[in-house]
Amino acid sequence: MTEQRTARRVPVLGIIAFVLLAALLLTLAVLSAIKGVRTAESNGHVVRVEDGQTFVVNMDGTEETVTLAGVMVPRPAAEGEEPTVENCLADEAMANLATLLEPGDSVQLEYPEESDGPEGTRLALVHHGGEVVNLQQAEAGFAVPLPEQPREGFGSELGEAQTTARSEESGLYSSAEPCTLAGRIGPALAALEDLPEDHPTTSEEAETQIEAISAAVEQGVAAEKAFATIEPEGTSLASLAWAADVPRLEEKLTGALSAAQADLKAMNSTRNVLQTREREELERQAEEKRQAEAKRQREAAERQEAAQREKAQREEAERQAKAKEERRQTESASASASASASASASDSASASASPSPSPTPSSSSASPSSTETDAGGDD
């Protein structure tokens, strides 16, 4: 009986052991699939950096090209191609990796299960100096997390590194770089938010402000197009780097753009009012000038007329004086003539009263005269 019970226990224990082993293997398989990491590691020395995500390492005399796992890094545009946002800060990313991994540096490579990288490279988590280089590139803003990660928990670490880069506006999150989303939106936002607030007092000042607002609005409208190139759920560098920033930046830009457009409309109205006032003022000044000119002409005409009257009076006075002088001269001449005539008449009368002398006195006639003279003398 005991032997029978023992015989029955053996198969049961075997089945239990088999089930436990199978469960263990299944758990390991699941964990392996979840973590996606292989325990294999290797050490080597850096030979050179190829770009912002790739470098060459020497392992026991064999060179191998390694790509940083779990991240996407901007790479240079292909020869002959125009750079796009996918190539944004590629040179800077390479320069940063070169400062992290200098030739001769010792590195430890941790290979994920899927370790095959692009173009024959090997994906790896790179440990150097107690730091994970993959995370360092992300913290510097030159690498963005991929949806699929090489091991559990590494994605959250990359997320924290990306948050750090975003808060510090480093690398791909810098507003000072024209190729980044912040760099394309930032200047437009600054232009829209820094518009002049002074109230114009002339239409010329209003026109100047209208030009400034219009330029800022055009810049804002152009910047809005950058959002359309970023797919919220995309896998491109632009989407992975900036999709989370789009709602915030779009809200700010839209608000600033709407305010500027309202300002532009109001400024156009202000300019029209100022132009009307200035036109009325010019018309008033022109009317005042016209009236002043008419008054000047009237006064000039009156002065001319007065001058002419004075001249006529002067000429009349001169004419009368001349006529008087002529009458005086005429009267004087007449008086002189009368006097001359009277004198002539007197002379004529005197001549008539005296005897006419003989043309040839004779001795006989002279004698009586002498006698009379002598007689008179005696008297």
Side-chain angles (χ1 to χ4, degrees):
M1 182 66 67
T2 301
E3 292 178 356
Q4 290 177 352
R5 285 197 300 268
T6 302
R8 284 196 299 269
R9 287 176 184 172
V10 172
V12 172
L13 291 174
I15 293 172
I16 293 173
F18 177 77
V19 171
L20 291 174
L21 179 60
L24 178 61
L25 293 174
L26 180 60
T27 301
L28 290 174
V30 171
L31 289 175
S32 178
I34 293 175
K35 294 183 179 181
V37 64
R38 192 168 64 184
T39 57
E41 295 179 355
S42 60
N43 298 321
H45 293 85
V46 176
V47 177
R48 64 182 177 277
V49 170
E50 297 285 343
D51 55 40
Q53 190 175 6
T54 308
F55 67 98
V56 177
V57 64
N58 186 319
M59 293 183 294
D60 299 328
T62 301
E63 291 187 355
E64 185 172 339
T65 303
V66 178
T67 296
L68 301 181
V71 295
M72 180 181 290
V73 178
R75 298 197 178 190
E79 187 176 353
E81 292 184 359
E82 287 293 328
T84 67
V85 291
E86 299 300 310
N87 311 118
C88 179
L89 302 184
D91 293 339
E92 290 79 356
M94 178 178 176
N96 189 69
L97 185 60
T99 62
L100 298 174
L101 298 176
E102 297 182 354
D105 284 353
S106 177
V107 293
Q108 183 183 40
L109 307 178
E110 179 184 350
Y111 300 110
E113 185 172 327
E114 296 295 334
S115 63
D116 291 337
E119 300 178 0
T121 64
R122 295 193 66 183
L123 294 172
L125 299 179
V126 182
H127 300 266
H128 171 62
E131 301 287 344
V132 180
V133 177
N134 311 54
L135 291 174
Q136 288 180 298
Q137 276 290 78
E139 287 176 351
F142 296 118
V144 295
L146 289 171
E148 297 180 359
Q149 290 300 315
R151 62 176 169 82
E152 186 178 8
F154 190 63
S156 61
E157 293 179 43
L158 282 174
E160 292 175 3
Q162 186 180 34
T163 300
T164 299
R166 181 178 284 112
S167 64
E168 295 179 357
E169 295 189 359
S170 301
L172 293 168
Y173 308 98
S174 171
S175 58
E177 299 293 344
C179 63
T180 67
L181 180 63
R184 286 180 285 170
I185 303 302
L189 271 175
L192 291 168
E193 293 173 349
D194 295 340
L195 291 174
E197 297 181 357
D198 297 336
H199 295 290
T201 57
T202 66
S203 62
E204 185 177 357
E205 291 177 357
E207 188 65 38
T208 300
Q209 292 195 20
I210 286 172
E211 292 176 358
I213 297 172
S214 297
V217 167
E218 290 180 4
Q219 191 174 357
V221 171
E224 273 189 318
K225 298 177 181 179
F227 298 126
T229 63
I230 302 173
E231 299 178 7
E233 303 298 331
T235 58
S236 65
L237 177 72
S239 296
L240 295 175
W242 304 316
D245 298 326
V246 168
R248 174 180 57 84
L249 291 175
E250 191 170 22
E251 181 180 2
K252 289 186 65 175
L253 182 62
T254 300
L257 192 56
S258 298
Q261 289 170 334
D263 288 346
L264 182 61
K265 183 177 180 181
M267 192 57 62
N268 276 312
S269 299
T270 300
R271 178 193 58 185
N272 294 338
V273 171
L274 290 172
Q275 284 179 338
T276 300
R277 291 178 182 174
E278 290 169 354
R279 183 170 59 253
E280 292 174 350
E281 178 63 18
L282 288 175
E283 291 173 354
R284 185 189 66 78
Q285 292 177 359
E287 178 62 20
E288 288 183 352
K289 185 176 181 181
R290 186 190 66 78
Q291 292 179 1
E293 178 63 20
K295 181 180 178 181
R296 186 190 65 78
Q297 291 180 356
R298 285 196 305 271
E299 291 175 348
E302 290 173 356
R303 288 194 299 271
Q304 184 177 8
E305 184 179 353
Q308 289 175 348
R309 284 197 303 269
E310 291 177 359
K311 181 180 180 182
Q313 291 173 357
R314 189 168 55 253
E315 289 176 349
E316 177 63 18
E318 291 175 354
R319 186 186 63 77
Q320 291 178 1
K322 184 177 181 181
K324 184 177 180 180
E325 177 65 20
E326 289 177 350
R327 285 196 302 272
R328 187 188 66 75
Q329 290 178 358
T330 300
E331 291 174 353
S332 177
S334 298
S336 298
S338 297
S340 298
S342 297
S344 298
S346 297
D347 292 340
S348 297
S350 297
S352 300
S354 298
S356 299
S358 300
T360 305
S362 61
S363 58
S364 59
S365 62
S367 294
S369 297
S370 300
T371 301
E372 291 176 1
T373 301
D374 292 335
D378 290 338
D379 293 335

